[in-house]
Amino acid sequence: MKIEQIYTGCLAQGAYYIESKGEVAIIDPLREVKPYLDRAKLDEAKIKYIFETHFHADFVSGHVTLAKDTGAPIIYGPNANPSFEATIANDGQEFKLGDVTIIALHTPGHTMESTTYLLKDKDGKDHAIFSGDTLFLGDVGRPDLAQKMGELTERDLAGFLYDSLRTKIMPLADDVIVYPAHGAGSACGKNMMKETVDTLGNQKQMNYALRADMTKEEFINEVIDGLLPPPQYFPLNVKMNKEGYEDIQDVLKRGTQALSPQAFEAAANETGAIVLDVRHQDEFAKGHIPRSIFIGLKGGFAPWVGALIADVKQPILLVTEPGKEEETVTRLSRVGFDNALGYLKGSFDAWKKEALEYDTVSSITAAQFKSNLEKSKKPVYDVRKESEYLSERVKDAHLTPLDFLNNHLAEFPENDTFYVHCAGGYRSMIAASILKSRGIHNLIDVQGGFKAIKEAGVPVTDFVCPTTL
């Protein structure tokens, strides 16, 4: 038996490859399925099952494409109602894979169709659970995504989750291995561990949600406390996962069309497409196409695209580093943004060679920032999360979190210069690009963010541990 966790850090998502006696099961595959096909081919094995733990909200699963390419059935737990052909397992239904067995354990709560898959080894001993968003390491899945007005509330779902954990998960042996769908950085939970594999016994010791003496009321209150609004793209990804989607090869073919600067400019004017610049933030600051949005590949790319571009059907034109075109289109498609129309051939250098209009972002070092503040007080805007801001911040800085930047546009000065920073320089450049696209140009980005600012000796507030906030 082989179990491989295929972890995608930028999405904080784990897919799983299980092989036994030449038969393979894939759990929660990513949108691009070639790696799974290649892996099975390497083992001279056949993909027999495609298991889905639930209708994922934070990425588009590759289940539909993988089923089309392999003929393997897509398997959901009870209450799933996809628009395509699928096997809806009963609670406790067994699936043979070589000489091991996978059992569907219905664990509603995160969503009503959420299902954990229990893997028994060839001797029939419980070996591992693939827990989806039912159980994370250090946390559990948020119960507010599948609530329906007038039917189920987040408290109802949290109650279901409490029962699922205590009747289906906690009775399992301590040496059972936990393979979750997500790790730290995912918006599907609050405080997940950076580790991606653990034993159930350790989780029973340290995961607040598995506390042995916890009442249902205590669980409900703790699991919903501090939940931030989900990103806007979540329901759109659920819809795609339930109803199906365009083949990834067609998406790649359309998105990787090379466009000359003139053709690129014409396409931007004629289609209403967003120009998305995915180069490094330093390159964007030095020069970019006016009104383009920066979200760099070398960062939390896909989740930020999903959080900041409201409509997954939005046409997009790309400015990438040479050779990064296909990767960019693939990573966009993972969160449902399938309407990339092409990329700027020759990247931004080609645009400049044609003497076309371009813009820059004013940017200074933390040392310059300190010196400037001492000479002349200008407002400072912090685009980190509220928890980061409350923990420690530049004195008198204003909180304008990037996730909700559009709600704060009226707070930025119309004419006076102001500073913007984040933790390390990535999010502040995204914010700068959004502000400039809205006509707000009187900003200065602080390179290196709060880390550099603190090291430069800029006065900051006393540190407060986030866990005590």
Side-chain angles (χ1 to χ4, degrees), residues 207-220:
N207 189 328
Y208 77 95
L210 303 187
R211 205 164 63 233
D213 61 351
M214 194 177 214
T215 67
K216 181 181 282 191
E217 190 66 16
E218 287 172 339
F219 175 87
I220 292 171

Side-chain angles (χ1 to χ4, degrees), residues 52 67 106 119 179 212 252 258 260 269 281 306 316 329 341 368-369 382 392 403 426 433 437 468:
E52 290 283 290
H106 187 212
L119 174 65
Y179 291 109
L252 283 169
S260 68
N269 292 333
Q281 56 263 32
I316 294 172
V329 177
L341 304 179
Q368 291 172 311
F369 173 64
D382 185 336
E392 199 174 21
D403 313 51
Y426 178 79
S433 73
S437 74
T468 66

Side-chain angles (χ1 to χ4, degrees), residues 133-317:
D133 287 19
T134 296
L135 175 64
F136 297 134
L137 304 186
D139 202 353
V140 291
R142 56 191 300 167
D144 60 325
L145 301 182
Q147 59 182 318
K148 295 178 181 176
M149 195 64 71
E151 295 181 24
L152 292 174
T153 67
E154 62 182 14
R155 296 187 70 85
D156 293 331
L157 287 159
F160 284 122
L161 185 55
Y162 176 88
D163 293 337
S164 293
L165 291 166
R166 275 147 184 81
T167 61
K168 300 292 181 62
I169 304 295
M170 292 177 70
L172 297 172
D174 287 355
D175 62 353
V176 167
I177 301 168
V178 181
Y179 291 109
H182 299 298
S186 167
C188 289
K190 293 181 293 188
N191 297 303
M192 286 176 261
M193 296 162 58
K194 67 179 186 302
E195 293 79 4
T196 61
V197 180
D198 197 6
T199 63
L200 183 58
N202 191 49
Q203 287 301 303
K204 289 176 183 175
Q205 293 295 317
M206 56 74 58
N207 189 328
Y208 77 95
L210 303 187
R211 205 164 63 233
D213 61 351
M214 194 177 214
T215 67
K216 181 181 282 191
E217 190 66 16
E218 287 172 339
F219 175 87
I220 292 171
N221 290 334
E222 290 187 38
V223 80
I224 65 176
D225 181 51
L227 285 177
L228 294 172
Q232 297 178 72
Y233 74 101
F234 271 29
L236 303 173
N237 277 196
V238 171
K239 180 177 170 63
M240 293 176 75
N241 283 325
K242 291 179 74 171
E243 298 179 0
Y245 43 75
E246 188 176 7
D247 191 285
I248 183 68
Q249 294 305 320
D250 295 333
V251 175
L252 283 169
K253 184 178 179 181
R254 181 172 56 245
T256 56
Q257 295 184 89
L259 301 173
S260 68
Q262 290 75 18
F264 190 92
E265 184 176 41
N269 292 333
E270 293 167 4
T271 65
I274 285 177
V275 175
L276 181 63
D277 194 322
V278 306
R279 298 173 296 152
H280 191 275
Q281 56 263 32
D282 293 346
E283 296 303 313
F284 183 85
K286 292 174 188 170
H288 59 266
I289 296 172
R291 294 173 296 284
S292 58
I293 300 298
F294 163 79
I295 304 178
L297 272 185
K298 294 177 181 175
F301 175 67
W304 279 120
V305 170
L308 297 172
I309 301 177
D311 185 2
V312 296
K313 296 185 182 304
Q314 168 68 49
I316 294 172
L317 289 163

Side-chain angles (χ1 to χ4, degrees), residues 19 56 79 126 144 232 342 379 388 439 452:
E19 189 270 340
H56 305 280
N79 295 334
D126 294 348
D144 60 325
Q232 297 178 72
E388 296 171 279

